[in-house]
């Protein structure tokens, strides 16, 4: 049962990540999935560190809103 729930949650998360606007998605993937620093992400995307942090925060808010219905009982 836990394995099935983990798979379902992973699918929901993957779908929510795909719905992120591109500018937020690329920052989220580099920071949260690839584990890059804000500095590394900024260099790759030619963004300032505050811009990287802002986009990451917005991506997390978006994902939280998308996944909230599945996380509350």
């Amino acid at each position: 049962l836990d394995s099935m729930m983990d798979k379902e949650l992973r699918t929901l998360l993957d779908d929510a990540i795909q719905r992120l606007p591109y500018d937020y998605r690329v920052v989220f993937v580099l920071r949260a999935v690839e584990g890059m620093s804000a500095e590394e992400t900024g260099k790759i995307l030619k963004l300032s560190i505050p811009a990287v942090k802002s986009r990451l925060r917005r991506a997390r808010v978006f994902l939280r809103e998308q996944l909230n219905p599945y996380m509350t009982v």
Side-chain angles (χ1 to χ4, degrees):
L1 182 60
D2 285 342
S3 175
M4 186 169 40
M5 290 178 67
D6 287 344
K7 185 176 179 180
E8 182 178 349
L9 182 57
R10 180 65 186 177
T11 299
L12 291 170
L13 180 58
D14 288 343
D15 290 345
I17 291 170
Q18 290 303 314
R19 287 193 299 272
L20 276 167
Y22 177 79
D23 290 341
Y24 300 164
R25 184 172 60 239
V26 69
V27 169
F28 180 82
V29 169
L30 289 174
R31 293 279 286 126
V33 178
E34 298 295 326
M36 292 186 176
S37 69
E39 293 82 8
E40 293 169 320
T41 301
K43 285 181 183 178
I44 291 169
L45 300 176
K46 296 181 173 68
L47 295 171
S48 66
I49 292 171
V52 169
K53 290 179 178 182
S54 177
R55 290 181 185 190
L56 180 60
R57 183 186 63 78
R58 291 176 183 165
R60 288 177 175 161
V61 167
F62 179 91
L63 293 172
R64 194 173 303 122
E65 290 172 354
Q66 294 292 308
L67 298 173
N68 190 45
Y70 303 102
M71 302 309 251
T72 57
V73 180

